[in-house]
Amino acid sequence: VGDLVEAAPRFREWFNAAAPENEKLPLNWAALDKNLFEKMLIVRCLRPDRMTSSLKNFIRSTLPDGDAYIECDSTLNSLEILESSLTDSTPKTPIYFILSAGSNVVADLDRKASANGLEKGVSYHNVSMGQGQDVVAMSCLETAHRNGHWVIL
């Protein structure tokens, strides 16, 4: 924290950069540029709005053929992405989707669930998370785990 105060202008310059995740960190913090995970933690603390880009940098640099993971779905719509994910999955492997703000794929999920023989409220559960819904969500997750259902939280 002392560095942030003592070298405030240098950190402000990094903070105000259009893409700070691509800029060298000031002072001896520049050593963190060599470890993308640690740099991603700094970005998360100081510029959480840039986490998507920072995570993309991390994946590109860390995973073999990382670009393929970043660009894999850029030409597909949400239903095609869902179909592709289901093709790659197994009943023993849960699928987690992390959605961007403003995206709404529930209609696509409803369509795919129905096409896969799942019945809404019976073998396909949609729980809107809010106060007191944790108990409902846990019940649905436990049932889904035992019976191979789908759950949207």
Side-chain angles (χ1 to χ4, degrees), residues 36-49:
L36 290 179
F37 184 76
E38 289 178 351
K39 184 165 185 180
M40 195 169 51
L41 294 175
I42 299 298
V43 171
R44 172 67 178 98
C45 291
L46 300 178
R47 286 291 306 269
D49 59 308

Side-chain angles (χ1 to χ4, degrees), residues 9-68:
R10 294 177 78 183
F11 278 96
R12 188 175 301 112
E13 182 181 330
W14 177 86
F15 180 88
N16 289 329
E21 68 279 1
N22 297 327
E23 302 292 328
K24 285 183 90 173
L25 287 161
L27 306 177
N28 61 349
W29 291 39
L32 297 174
D33 289 330
K34 296 175 186 167
N35 183 326
L36 290 179
F37 184 76
E38 289 178 351
K39 184 165 185 180
M40 195 169 51
L41 294 175
I42 299 298
V43 171
R44 172 67 178 98
C45 291
L46 300 178
R47 286 291 306 269
D49 59 308
R50 300 300 303 167
M51 272 306 294
T52 300
S53 295
S54 186
L55 184 59
K56 285 180 181 179
N57 289 345
F58 178 76
I59 291 169
R60 275 192 175 100
S61 300
T62 306
L63 295 178
D65 198 21
D67 281 330

